[in-house]
Amino acid sequence: LCSYNNTPFRDRDGKIIGVLGIARDITEQRRAKQALSLSQHKYKSLFKNMLTAAAYHQIILDKKGKPVDYIILEVNDAFERQTGLKKENVIGQRVTELMPGIKRSKPDLISIYGKVALTGEGISLEFYFEPLDRWYSVSAYCPEKGFFVVLFQNVSDKKHREEELSHARENLESKVKERTAELTRSNELLSASEAHHRTLVETIPYGIMENDLSGAITFCNAACAGMHGYKEDEMDGKSF
């Protein structure tokens, strides 16, 4: 593939008497241009159709070089699904005009994204975004100084499930503690009752004896043993 540049030759009267033609081989240049166009289309399509929400921004600095705002330059289709905001309403807008509450929200996203855009250090974090009342899992990186790309997903449903699971676990632990305390109190009362009745049996002036099916003594109180001329421990196992 060639490119031609023709320049006419003229005589003193201005009459064309010839043509100087210069030809350049632009095959590689055209191929490179086509490859670049194809690559741009490929990545633009990937950006547009990826399932993760993506947005391209430019950071805005004050006179002292401090990040104070950022402009939304481009977003993909998933951005609309994850935020509920329409593409045509956000592109070209300053985030402080679009969501005034962002200045008071925690974390301080303007400062965080500003650091990414100015230092090139990427970040990943998960946070509750009050202006949209949603939880997001976010990653941000810097494609060139002064600009940053944010990739994010709405994880509100996951956070709500985690909170419900946490509450259920806390309730279960509370019930286990209550039940354990009840059992401890019951055991203490049972032990106290047993000790009380044992004292009554052992000190009562009447003989009390317990035998198994073979007739062997399994228990007798002091009064019973004394009646038979024995001590309590000497009665164990005897048959009457």
Side-chain angles (χ1 to χ4, degrees), residues 13 30 45 70 85 101 131 134 142 145 162-163 175 193:
D13 297 325
R30 179 61 62 86
S45 177
Y70 56 86
L85 302 173
R134 299 182 183 186
C142 174
K145 189 170 183 178
E162 289 177 353
E163 290 175 359
K175 290 181 179 179
S193 177

Side-chain angles (χ1 to χ4, degrees), residues 13-236:
D13 297 325
K15 183 178 179 181
I16 296 176
I17 58 175
V19 176
L20 173 63
I22 300 176
R24 291 187 302 121
D25 184 351
I26 60 171
T27 303
E28 291 303 320
Q29 180 182 348
R30 179 61 62 86
R31 287 176 179 170
K33 185 176 181 180
Q34 290 174 340
L36 178 60
S37 177
L38 181 61
S39 177
Q40 288 176 337
H41 176 76
K42 172 184 175 182
Y43 286 107
K44 185 174 181 179
S45 177
L46 177 63
F47 178 83
K48 174 181 173 61
N49 297 304
M50 63 192 301
L51 297 178
T52 300
Y56 180 49
H57 311 81
Q58 180 180 8
I59 200 70
I60 303 297
L61 309 176
D62 62 13
K63 293 181 180 180
K64 296 182 180 180
K66 178 184 176 181
V68 293
D69 208 340
Y70 56 86
I71 299 174
I72 303 173
L73 301 178
E74 185 62 61
V75 300
N76 67 352
D77 293 346
F79 177 93
E80 294 187 349
R81 297 191 297 271
Q82 299 284 350
T83 65
L85 302 173
K86 293 297 182 181
K87 185 184 302 185
E88 58 268 21
N89 295 333
V90 301
I91 292 179
Q93 296 292 318
R94 290 186 174 223
V95 72
T96 54
E97 296 174 352
L98 187 64
M99 292 176 280
I102 196 171
K103 288 186 176 181
R104 301 184 300 274
S105 67
K106 298 295 180 182
D108 183 356
L109 294 179
I110 294 177
S111 296
I112 292 173
Y113 292 152
K115 183 178 180 182
V116 172
L118 297 178
T119 66
E121 297 178 7
I123 56 97
S124 293
L125 66 161
E126 190 172 278
F127 58 88
Y128 172 69
F129 191 51
E130 187 175 359
L132 295 180
D133 188 27
R134 299 182 183 186
W135 279 89
Y136 288 103
S137 176
V138 175
S139 295
Y141 68 92
C142 174
E144 59 178 306
K145 189 170 183 178
F147 298 83
F148 65 96
V149 174
V150 174
L151 305 175
F152 62 94
Q153 288 185 314
N154 180 355
V155 293
S156 300
D157 289 343
K158 186 191 78 167
K159 295 298 292 186
H160 292 156
R161 288 194 297 271
E162 289 177 353
E163 290 175 359
E164 290 173 357
L165 181 60
S166 177
H167 291 324
R169 186 182 298 113
E170 290 174 0
N171 290 335
L172 179 59
E173 290 175 353
S174 177
K175 290 181 179 179
V176 168
K177 289 180 180 178
E178 291 177 2
R179 182 56 178 160
T180 300
E182 289 176 359
L183 290 174
T184 300
R185 287 194 297 271
S186 296
N187 289 334
E188 290 173 349
L189 292 173
L190 183 61
S191 296
S193 177
E194 181 183 3
H196 174 69
H197 285 88
R198 175 175 288 275
T199 300
L200 289 177
V201 169
E202 290 178 347
T203 58
I204 195 170
Y206 301 102
I208 298 176
M209 179 188 296
E210 182 182 88
N211 301 75
D212 61 18
L213 294 177
S214 67
I217 297 173
T218 58
F219 171 80
C220 76
N221 65 353
C224 179
M227 291 176 184
H228 292 84
Y230 295 98
K231 295 179 180 180
E232 287 181 72
D233 56 352
E234 294 176 337
M235 296 288 287
D236 291 344

